[in-house]
Amino acid sequence: MAGGWLTTHVLDTARGCPAAGLCVRLYRIDGKAREALARMVTNADGRTDAPILPKEQFAPGLYELIFEAGDYLEASGTPAETPRFLGEIPIRFGISDAAAHYHVPLLLSPFGYSTYRGS
């Protein structure tokens, strides 16, 4: 059985706080096919309450996280443009080590974002 797991942490850098209530979806990518694996919402700390991809489902491969930033920004009262500059933020990444912890944080503002492989 695999020993790794996948987590995220979303910070609203414009407001200087965790991004609570942001929906995150996870897909496994296989060629042109996408398999939906999880849908979670961040808690008051900007994290999900459980790993997005827990140990029992963890496997090497290509994945995509979709962060529903537009809905979060709307709910947080961020003034909107039509259309909003950022709606959904896709982050496609590979998992090569079945025993590792993969942490994919998102630093978010209304007009930009950044990500990295965290620890």
Side-chain angles (χ1 to χ4, degrees):
M1 176 164 46
W5 69 102
L6 172 67
T7 58
T8 192
H9 188 196
V10 186
L11 298 174
D12 184 329
T13 58
R15 295 175 48 217
C17 63
L22 190 145
C23 181
V24 180
R25 300 185 322 262
L26 176 67
Y27 297 89
R28 185 183 326 261
I29 309 297
D30 185 10
K32 293 185 179 186
R34 287 175 27 148
E35 175 189 1
L37 298 179
R39 181 188 181 279
M40 304 180 108
V41 176
T42 57
N43 60 24
D45 191 37
R47 301 173 188 271
T48 56
D49 289 330
I52 300 168
L53 189 59
K55 291 180 181 186
E56 57 273 7
Q57 296 177 340
F58 199 79
L62 186 60
Y63 294 85
E64 184 174 61
L65 283 168
I66 306 270
F67 295 86
E68 295 183 10
D71 291 344
Y72 164 78
L73 292 167
E74 186 70 31
S76 70
T78 302
E81 300 174 318
T82 304
R84 189 175 284 283
F85 182 69
L86 291 175
E88 293 185 338
I89 299 173
I91 299 175
R92 193 168 282 193
F93 59 97
I95 291 177
S96 59
D97 184 350
H101 173 204
Y102 282 74
H103 184 66
V104 182
L106 181 72
L107 304 176
L108 172 65
S109 77
F111 298 104
Y113 64 91
S114 92
T115 190
Y116 54 94
R117 180 172 174 195
S119 58

